[in-house]
Amino acid sequence: MTIIIDPQSSGIAGNMIIGALVDLGADADELKSIMEKSAKDFGKVEVSFEKKLKHGISSTFCHVEMLEHKHSVHYADFIEKIRSLDLERNVKETSIRVFERIAKAEAKVHGKSLNEVHFHEVGASDAVADVIGSIYAYYSLNLDKQKIIGLPIAVGGGRVKTAHGIIPVPAPAVVEILKDAKIVGGPVDSELATPTGSAIYAEICDEIKEFIPLSKPKKVGYGAGRKDFDHPNVLRIIETSDITESDEIDVIETNIDHLTGEEIGYLFDKLLSLGASDVSITPIIMKKNRQGSLLKVISSRNNRDKLVEAIFSETGSLGIRISPNMHRGVAKREFEKEIFNINGKNYEVTFKTAYINGEIISRRAEYEDLKRISDDIGLPLRKVKEMIK
């Protein structure tokens, strides 16, 4: 199962996340009690839930009304108050990481150390209720056991009035929190992404993608925002089952026309040893009718730089093409080990089984295991393969 958080049209806020999770099945009465109790050391809030139509879309609106707000508090004291709450440890620890993201962003923006940060708007009782409520709902739905994909966040535009004066949208703290995410301006001149909502999103998302991967939607929750625009102001959270797994890869290419067969073979093995996911070499005809080879390497982003460096070093190439962030669909794979008795000796063989939409499409023994058996007993590889089948 995969969970997709979609803030592409209306941004993200803590109460919108809570509303969408209640729409997906989180207990509203339980959340109301948890949120109001958790916020009492920081002020007094009243939480209510109601169904709203946002341009024809039925959604859940989580209204957090701040009735009383206490004075600002130092970051260290603030965290101690969160630790003392009567909540499950995982809820408290994850909530603390969310507030840490906000505090670090505030410290960076204002040129302070973490210990110098005072919580004002962020530390208000309604923000505490938003964070605790979102994370409590997250665990109550067992989303920590699911893969969570975040889509690009619409951050809005214009200017907004804060405790520090009038600042541009997106707020500097939001930009800092979402440095590793994908954001897009608009579609309205209004603040759409709050620091609280952005920090929750950044904490719980496992991956950030530009598009919804190939999947089967099972259930959708809509969390209403408090503002009204000419489009539905809702956050959408989609529960899906995967048809295929999807990941992002970089494709690295260069043309080769001056290496010997031995040198190409050495390069092939070296790139695999450096972490390339796949390496292929294809004969081509180059300019002036010269025969050459097209080297194509598939890599994760983490390995890309060292693979490019190795290609430059080993080939002397003057130019390498890189196609980043390419999406590929891959069948789900499981690895199983089985014991086979061959000529009176037991051998362990690993099988790779591939699934599409829950159905097995292939099941093959791993080459290295077959090769090891073949070398050990002196039988041809194809014979060992037949015996294993």
Side-chain angles (χ1 to χ4, degrees):
M1 197 71 72
T2 298
I3 304 298
I4 299 171
I5 300 178
D6 182 7
Q8 294 182 98
S9 64
S10 295
I12 196 163
N15 72 316
M16 295 172 77
I17 296 172
I18 296 170
L21 294 180
V22 167
D23 228 30
L24 282 177
D27 190 311
D29 292 333
E30 188 177 31
L31 281 173
K32 172 181 168 65
S33 176
I34 291 294
M35 292 166 68
E36 290 178 350
K37 287 180 182 178
S38 299
K40 67 180 181 180
D41 285 341
F42 306 90
K44 185 178 180 181
V45 300
E46 185 176 340
V47 179
S48 60
F49 293 90
E50 63 176 304
K51 278 291 186 180
K52 282 195 173 184
L53 274 179
K54 289 285 191 175
H55 282 268
I57 296 180
S58 176
S59 54
T60 298
F61 177 60
C62 173
H63 180 54
V64 181
E65 183 178 1
M66 188 168 61
L67 303 178
E68 176 189 337
H69 175 50
K70 297 183 179 179
H71 295 297
S72 62
V73 59
H74 278 290
Y75 173 71
D77 296 333
F78 180 87
I79 295 303
E80 281 306 309
K81 287 178 180 290
I82 298 294
R83 289 193 191 279
S84 67
L85 294 175
D86 184 20
L87 293 169
E88 294 290 334
R89 181 178 177 181
N90 54 4
V91 176
K92 289 191 288 187
E93 292 301 321
T94 304
S95 298
I96 286 171
R97 290 197 297 271
V98 171
F99 281 114
E100 185 179 17
R101 288 177 182 272
I102 300 171
K104 285 182 176 179
E106 292 284 348
K108 178 70 178 297
V109 168
H110 300 302
K112 297 180 178 181
S113 69
L114 196 59
N115 290 330
E116 292 177 303
V117 172
H118 278 74
F119 280 105
H120 301 289
E121 295 168 75
V122 170
S125 52
D126 55 343
V128 173
D130 280 349
V131 172
I132 298 295
S134 297
I135 300 305
Y136 189 91
Y138 164 83
Y139 280 108
S140 73
L141 294 174
N142 294 316
L143 300 190
D144 57 310
K145 298 178 175 61
Q146 313 299 331
K147 180 178 181 180
I148 298 186
I149 293 174
L151 300 182
I153 297 179
V155 294
R159 294 174 176 82
V160 64
K161 187 176 181 180
T162 73
H164 304 287
I166 296 175
I167 60 174
V169 174
V174 169
V175 175
E176 194 68 29
I177 291 167
L178 296 177
K179 283 195 302 187
D180 295 325
K182 294 180 172 71
I183 63 175
V184 59
V188 293
D189 280 346
S190 180
E191 182 185 36
L192 295 182
T194 67
T196 302
S198 300
I200 296 167
Y201 167 96
E203 178 62 34
I204 67 176
C205 287
D206 299 305
E207 288 186 51
I208 308 297
K209 292 185 176 293
E210 293 185 36
F211 308 103
I212 296 176
L214 184 62
S215 55
K216 283 186 175 181
K218 296 293 186 182
K219 194 173 181 181
V220 184
Y222 295 96
R226 62 181 177 83
K227 300 176 183 178
D228 291 311
F229 304 118
D230 59 0
H231 66 278
N233 183 22
V234 296
L235 171 71
R236 180 168 62 173
I237 299 183
I238 308 169
E239 181 182 286
T240 76
S241 60
D242 297 341
I243 294 178
T244 63
E245 293 184 345
S246 178
D247 61 3
E248 290 184 350
I249 57 171
D250 291 348
V251 177
I252 307 165
E253 292 182 341
T254 191
N255 294 348
I256 300 171
D257 66 351
H258 58 284
L259 297 184
T260 65
E262 291 87 352
E263 290 168 334
I264 290 176
Y266 173 79
L267 174 63
F268 188 101
D269 293 337
K270 182 169 184 176
L271 294 175
L272 288 174
S273 70
L274 288 173
S277 300
D278 198 7
V279 180
S280 63
I281 298 172
T282 306
I284 58 173
I285 300 297
M286 300 173 61
K287 63 183 179 182
K288 299 181 181 179
N289 295 323
R290 296 199 309 270
Q291 288 187 333
S293 301
L294 170 64
L295 171 68
K296 180 178 289 188
V297 181
I298 295 176
S299 167
S300 65
R301 179 173 296 178
N302 292 337
N303 291 327
R304 180 184 66 192
D305 291 344
K306 62 182 178 182
L307 291 170
V308 169
E309 183 179 344
I311 294 171
F312 273 124
S313 175
E314 296 293 340
T315 68
S317 174
L318 301 179
I320 296 174
R321 300 178 295 276
I322 302 173
S323 302
N325 301 329
M326 296 186 68
H327 294 264
R328 64 172 180 175
V330 293
K332 287 190 172 184
R333 286 159 286 183
E334 291 182 355
F335 293 89
E336 304 169 276
K337 296 184 182 296
E338 294 186 22
I339 302 297
F340 290 85
N341 187 286
I342 302 176
N343 292 350
K345 187 175 180 180
N346 288 334
Y347 293 94
E348 185 179 74
V349 179
T350 300
F351 286 84
K352 180 164 63 178
T353 306
Y355 298 84
I356 292 292
N357 201 21
E359 296 183 3
I360 295 177
I361 59 169
S362 69
R363 189 171 189 270
R364 294 192 294 268
E366 291 287 86
Y367 164 76
E368 292 296 337
D369 288 345
L370 298 181
K371 178 178 179 296
R372 174 172 49 82
I373 297 171
S374 175
D375 292 341
D376 189 57
I377 62 179
L379 287 176
L381 185 69
R382 61 178 181 81
K383 181 67 175 177
V384 173
K385 188 175 181 181
E386 290 171 4
M387 296 171 72
I388 294 299
K389 279 187 177 180

